[in-house]
Amino acid sequence: MTVTPHTDDARPGDGLVKAGGIVFALGAVATLVTMAPLFLGTDPFPSYAWAVCMLMGVGFAISAAGVLRSAAAQRKAARASQAA
C-alpha cells in the first residue's frame, strides 16, 4: 500500500523555501530602491544600502538548501518504501 502525502502537509524543506523567497524578495526591493537614484539623477545611497542588495543571493541560497533538503527526504522515503 502506497501512502501519498497530502498537498497541504508541510514537508521537509518547505519552510526554507518560503523563508528564502521572502529574503529574496526583500533583496529585490532593496535593489530597486538602491538603483533608483542612479536613474533619477539624485545622490546615491551609502554602501550599506548596497550590502542589503546581497539578500537576493542569500535568499536564493536558502531556497536552494530547502530544495536539496526536500529532495533528500524524498530519496530517503523512496529507499524506505523499497526496503519494506
Side-chain angles (χ1 to χ4, degrees), residues 13-83:
D14 284 354
L16 286 173
V17 172
K18 289 178 186 178
I22 291 169
V23 172
F24 183 89
L26 290 173
V29 169
T31 300
L32 291 174
V33 170
T34 306
M35 295 294 288
L38 298 176
F39 296 109
L40 299 174
T42 60
D43 291 334
F45 286 107
S47 59
Y48 67 84
W50 291 94
V52 176
C53 297
M54 297 299 161
L55 287 177
M56 287 179 66
V58 172
F60 184 78
I62 293 170
S63 292
V67 168
L68 292 175
R69 184 173 180 196
S70 177
Q74 288 178 1
R75 278 196 310 266
K76 184 178 177 181
R79 277 192 228 118
S81 69
Q82 288 177 352

